[in-house]
Amino acid sequence: MEKTEANDAFLVKSYIEGNEQSLSILINRHQHRIYSFIFSKVFDKDVAEDIFQDTFIKVIRTLKRGKYNEEGKFLPWVMRIAHNLVIDHFRKNKRMPKFENSGDFNIFSVLCDSGLNAEKQIIKDQIEADVKELIKELPEDQLEVLVMRIYKDMSFKEISERTGVSINTALGRMRYALINLRKVIEKHNLVLTN
Amino acid sequence: MAKLYSEKKVKKMYPKKETVNFLLNYSRALRISTYKNIQFENILN
């Protein structure tokens, strides 16, 4: 360990003095640890590759500018840079989350068109038409209340004012309208579900 | 001693050769020149 650290320090010094070969040795010596570290955080080879590259670009620029001052601690210094870039990566993705179709995960299992498909829309239209026909079998007073409540979206207070009966009577007519409608549906053995 | 049931060898992970070559070329191309305490970066390609 001592020897490696000494060697790193020597190579860094030699690189700063202009020996490009030293950088090659440093990268080859530590690439596995640094790359594995990055990959263990991001779990994406391409992203790991990018962060690895950015890490060493920072290393090269700092060394060439003569701003490196952590003698003998080359690897922890590079790991710290990689760590910060990984954090930057996650911060950037948090601001701009993205979904990628990779492997067995399909984005369309999460996102979907909330509207009905053509077949379901036809069935829905058919059911609504059937119900409109069925309610015609109801007695006139019940039909009137049901239409006002369901189709015209009126409140029972408005219905009572319009028909000239009490709210309780309107409520009762609505109740009987629904009971009778169920009876008609049962009698005809109708299935009114989508 | 605990048995190792996994027969899979853990594959060592390395960056692509292209990435390493890019870094070495970048390093060779980068020159820092200083003028009155201001540092300028030049990519000489």
Side-chain angles (χ1 to χ4, degrees), chain A residues 175 177-187:
Chain A
R175 182 167 172 269
L178 294 175
I179 290 168
N180 286 332
L181 204 53
R182 283 199 191 100
K183 278 184 189 164
V184 176
I185 292 166
E186 272 174 29
K187 197 174 89 187

Side-chain angles (χ1 to χ4, degrees), chain B residues 21-34:
Chain B
N21 284 340
F22 167 82
L23 289 167
L24 296 176
N25 290 332
Y26 173 79
S27 167
R28 277 187 208 108
L30 184 70
R31 292 277 178 282
I32 306 283
S33 37
T34 312

Side-chain angles (χ1 to χ4, degrees), chain A residues 43 70 137 166:
Chain A
F43 289 111
E70 297 187 53
E137 294 196 21
S166 68

Side-chain angles (χ1 to χ4, degrees), chain A residues 15 20 49 61 64-65, chain B residues 13 16 19 27 39 41:
Chain A
Y15 175 67
E20 295 289 335
E49 204 83 34
R61 289 175 66 191
K64 290 231 172 189
R65 280 168 175 263
Chain B
M13 299 190 73
K16 284 183 196 156
T19 309
S27 167
Q39 287 188 321
E41 278 185 19

Side-chain angles (χ1 to χ4, degrees), chain A residues 100-112:
Chain A
E100 279 170 10
N101 260 352
S102 58
D104 51 358
F105 175 75
N106 187 354
I107 183 63
F108 293 108
S109 64
V110 182
L111 291 174
C112 67

Side-chain angles (χ1 to χ4, degrees), chain A residues 21-48:
Chain A
Q21 189 60 31
S22 307
L23 180 71
S24 172
I25 300 168
L26 281 169
I27 292 178
N28 282 327
R29 181 180 292 167
H30 299 301
Q31 59 177 344
H32 165 61
R33 280 191 69 176
I34 295 162
Y35 184 79
S36 305
F37 165 75
I38 298 166
F39 185 81
S40 72
K41 303 288 179 231
V42 298
F43 289 111
D44 184 308
K45 278 187 178 179
D46 295 327
V47 175

Side-chain angles (χ1 to χ4, degrees), chain A residues 65-82:
Chain A
R65 280 168 175 263
K67 289 185 178 168
Y68 176 71
N69 57 5
E70 297 187 53
E71 286 287 327
K73 290 179 182 172
F74 178 75
L75 184 60
W77 174 61
V78 181
M79 292 292 245
R80 171 57 57 184
I81 293 173

